[in-house]
Amino acid sequence: MQSVIPVQKVALANLPTKIHPLLRVSAWLGGPEIWIKRDDLTGCALSGNKVRKLEYLAYDATKKKSDVLITCGGIQSNHARATAAVAAQLGMKCHLVLSGHEEDLPDGNLFLDMLFGAQVTFVEGADLSRLDHAMEEVAQKYKAKGLNPYIVPLGASNALGALGYVETAAEITMQAGELNVRFDHVVLPCGSAGTLAGLATGFSHLESKTQIWGISVSFEKQWIKDKVSELAQEIKKFFLPQLNTPLDNFHILDSYIGEGYGKTTPQQLKMIHEIASMEGIVLDPVYTGKAFWGLKEEIQRGTFKKGHKVLFLHTGGIFGLFARRYKEMLTSDILRPENSQTNTP
């Protein structure tokens, strides 16, 4: 597929990712026809949506002859793990600034960060400004050693990174044509807003009537709206001057954040188990599980109706499911509840 944007990238992802219907889940929910785009299978150590954005930033880093990638996130950050994998693949160093404290026995994404050789700085109770400041401090230390660091923003969510999902909008449109289906809605988890901004920009650029729905896992609606608008303006300024802004094709739902980023519920974990049992598809408790829970609730509210065709973007995150706290909740409350009986043959 020919790119819709005249910007070079490093080819890291396995593209295009597959789109297919979720027949049993659609019947279970009794609402619209639900399809899924498998961006959990982009490759690069199962890096999900992050690798599409990192393809552009990694090219920029190599063009600038950088030898260290620095980024930030939570302890179980998919983006941090993806950045560590990309750095290893390109023969670069990686340094992660993670919000939280060091663990005696790292698991999930943190375990993989270390497996990929990333150095980690832990900053307890850090907000975005503190993480940004900490990354700058780390970068200065590498510069003092004669190295050339490159800071990748949270979620790779700047205008350059968002181009990965401007391009994905064209990929979805091409695949929909091949499948002879028109998607009324695309639903996705939304964290740092780069994926949402890229998709909304891409579909707007293609003059598509598809509506984009970002289900927030962390930030409030106004923060995301402002971030999407900011990124769209920068994409227009630097890459797509013909783009019509402001965008009017995206919606933000921030009522499913719950107790906060990385916090899930037994009900959401039960749904993850049900979908895995029905379709053989694994959602994660931080992003896709929370977003699919939001999709399910909005179907019940009538936001998405019978006759609609909804595409759910699976952004990855499978390794987060193996973090100790989620495994314990799943095992004790759902997979092996106290009242279950162990059957022996």
Side-chain angles (χ1 to χ4, degrees), residues 14-317:
N14 298 322
L15 304 176
T17 55
K18 187 177 180 180
I19 291 177
H20 61 85
L22 295 179
L23 300 177
R24 286 173 292 279
V25 166
S26 296
W28 174 51
L29 295 178
E33 190 176 301
I34 301 175
W35 295 60
I36 191 167
K37 182 160 178 63
R38 300 298 303 274
D39 266 21
D40 54 321
L41 303 179
T42 51
C44 193
L46 296 178
S47 292
N49 66 320
K50 310 303 182 185
V51 69
R52 287 189 187 261
K53 296 188 277 185
L54 287 167
E55 285 186 325
Y56 287 92
L57 291 164
Y59 181 83
D60 190 46
T62 56
K63 184 176 67 174
K64 294 175 178 176
K65 302 187 184 304
S66 297
D67 39 30
V68 185
L69 295 183
I70 300 171
T71 198
C72 66
I75 288 289
Q76 288 297 330
S77 168
N78 296 310
H79 162 68
R81 181 253 305 154
T83 303
V86 167
Q89 191 168 337
L90 297 177
M92 304 171 74
K93 296 179 183 297
C94 181
H95 198 118
L96 307 176
V97 176
L98 302 181
S99 177
H101 60 272
E102 187 170 3
E103 299 177 354
D104 293 335
L105 185 62
D107 54 12
N109 283 311
L110 181 58
F111 171 78
L112 289 171
D113 295 338
M114 296 178 175
L115 192 66
F116 291 133
Q119 297 296 309
V120 181
T121 295
F122 296 94
V123 183
E124 293 199 40
D127 57 15
L128 287 180
S129 62
R130 283 191 64 196
L131 290 174
D132 286 342
H133 179 71
M135 285 196 294
E136 289 290 348
E137 288 185 335
V138 169
Q140 290 302 319
K141 290 178 181 178
Y142 279 107
K143 288 178 181 178
K145 295 178 181 178
L147 297 173
N148 183 20
Y150 184 97
I151 294 179
V152 178
L154 178 73
S157 292
N158 59 9
L160 184 59
L163 293 181
Y165 275 89
V166 175
E167 193 170 41
T168 305
E171 182 178 302
I172 292 171
T173 301
M174 178 192 71
Q175 291 176 295
E178 293 171 348
L179 293 165
N180 194 29
V181 60
R182 188 184 77 81
F183 294 113
D184 300 289
H185 308 281
V186 176
V187 177
L188 67 148
C190 181
S192 53
T195 301
L196 174 61
L199 277 181
T201 299
F203 278 108
S204 178
H205 178 61
L206 295 169
E207 299 181 346
S208 170
K209 294 182 179 179
T210 300
Q211 296 295 298
I212 318 301
W213 296 77
I215 298 181
S216 177
V217 302
S218 53
F219 297 109
E220 294 181 353
K221 178 187 291 189
Q222 192 59 51
W223 186 93
I224 296 173
K225 183 178 180 180
D226 292 344
K227 184 69 173 180
V228 171
S229 298
E230 173 191 328
L231 291 176
Q233 290 291 344
E234 291 179 359
I235 291 169
K236 176 182 176 70
K237 179 179 179 180
F238 296 113
F239 308 115
L240 293 176
Q242 67 274 42
L243 178 69
N244 290 322
T245 54
L247 305 178
D248 60 2
N249 64 342
F250 72 96
H251 313 269
I252 302 157
L253 299 173
D254 64 356
S255 54
Y256 301 103
I257 297 172
E259 294 185 6
Y261 177 78
K263 305 290 180 61
T264 188
T265 66
Q267 292 81 6
Q268 290 174 8
L269 291 174
K270 185 174 185 293
M271 182 204 67
I272 289 173
H273 172 52
E274 289 169 330
I275 291 174
S277 300
M278 269 189 275
E279 299 280 2
I281 290 173
V282 181
L283 304 176
D284 82 293
V286 179
Y287 287 91
T288 53
K290 190 170 283 190
F292 209 99
W293 176 265
L295 171 58
K296 181 173 80 72
E297 293 293 297
E298 290 298 319
I299 288 172
Q300 294 175 355
R301 293 180 181 211
T303 303
F304 307 109
K305 301 176 175 62
K306 282 190 176 182
H308 288 173
K309 290 180 172 60
V310 176
L311 179 65
F312 182 79
L313 179 66
H314 191 325
T315 54

Side-chain angles (χ1 to χ4, degrees), residues 314-334:
H314 191 325
T315 54
I318 185 172
F319 295 117
L321 192 63
F322 298 104
R324 187 178 300 108
R325 62 182 181 273
Y326 303 128
K327 284 194 298 183
E328 288 176 349
M329 288 178 68
L330 264 168
T331 303
S332 61
D333 295 340
I334 297 163

